[in-house]
Amino acid sequence: MSAPRYWLFKSEPSSFSLSDLKNRPDATEHWDGVRNFQARNFLRDEIKVGDLVFFYHSNIPEPAIVGIAQVVREGYPDFVAWDPQSNYFDPRSTPEKPVWFMVDVRFVSELPRPVTLNELKEIPELAQLPLLNRSRLSIQPVSAEAWDLILRLAGVQG
DNA sequence: GCCAACGTTGGC
DNA sequence: GCCAACGTTGGC
């Protein structure tokens, strides 16, 4: 089995927050509703069971990485896209030819302290982080080096 | 609430 | 295949 890889998932806490994840049954939830092709490709092709995920809160006064989740089920069709009642309905996607994919993630931990976007911007080693230069990508890879650095910023014992 | 950035759509 | 128009994201 290959080493786990690292990702960052963004969510607006008003729609789904880290504590929402923690309070789900089994602390597990489908990461549905992603409607961007590059993010879809990560979900469908790259993200594997066991990979670790930074949970980022966006669209708030102090956007920040607030916690860690782990992938417990890898890429499968996002069935929300088939529900005409859903905001994420997309008639192009069908069970026979799904367009959109999701993974399931489980709550792992809350960071000892959140690492804010402003802090991240101050760190030259993180300049390549997609969060800082591809700010609209909602599912993005994090290098092992960046992962460790951010954990240290968050006060996690290394 | 504003608006810049940028991904997506669709006319040509 | 280009690119203008449009819609959405997300920082501020």
Side-chain angles (χ1 to χ4, degrees):
Chain A
M1 177 175 149
S2 56
R5 289 193 291 174
Y6 304 106
W7 305 92
L8 182 147
F9 289 10
K10 291 196 277 194
S11 185
E12 298 189 26
S14 60
S15 59
F16 188 69
S17 70
L18 182 68
S19 62
D20 290 336
L21 178 62
K22 186 178 183 176
N23 292 323
R24 283 289 191 272
D26 287 334
T28 297
E29 182 60 290
H30 317 303
W31 203 269
D32 59 24
V34 173
R35 296 292 178 269
N36 166 283
F37 287 104
Q38 193 178 359
R40 186 280 311 269
N41 292 346
F42 288 136
L43 290 168
R44 187 188 58 191
D45 305 331
E46 307 271 347
I47 299 177
K48 301 302 179 190
V49 169
D51 286 0
L52 293 166
V53 175
F54 277 139
F55 198 117
Y56 177 84
H57 282 169
S58 66
N59 238 326
I60 52 173
E62 259 204 326
I65 298 172
V66 294
I68 296 173
Q70 188 163 34
V71 176
V72 295
R73 181 176 176 186
E74 59 201 43
Y76 65 106
D78 180 347
F79 48 71
V80 172
W82 308 330
D83 174 7
Q85 306 306 315
S86 168
N87 286 338
Y88 299 115
F89 175 63
D90 183 345
R92 295 174 298 180
S93 185
T94 65
E96 294 71 32
K97 281 202 156 190
V99 175
W100 303 114
F101 285 74
M102 61 186 170
V103 300
D104 291 356
V105 298
R106 179 183 294 146
F107 175 87
V108 171
S109 63
E110 185 174 359
L111 294 181
R113 55 174 213 91
V115 179
T116 66
L117 179 62
N118 278 332
E119 278 179 89
L120 295 169
K121 285 182 188 168
E122 298 295 319
I123 313 287
E125 291 89 335
L126 296 178
Q128 297 313 308
L129 203 64
L131 188 68
L132 302 179
N133 56 29
R134 300 278 325 280
S135 66
R136 296 185 52 191
L137 189 59
S138 64
I139 302 285
Q140 45 181 269
V142 175
S143 70
E145 294 75 19
W147 180 270
D148 291 341
L149 199 162
I150 292 167
L151 283 185
R152 272 182 271 125
L153 288 174
V156 174
Q157 310 295 326

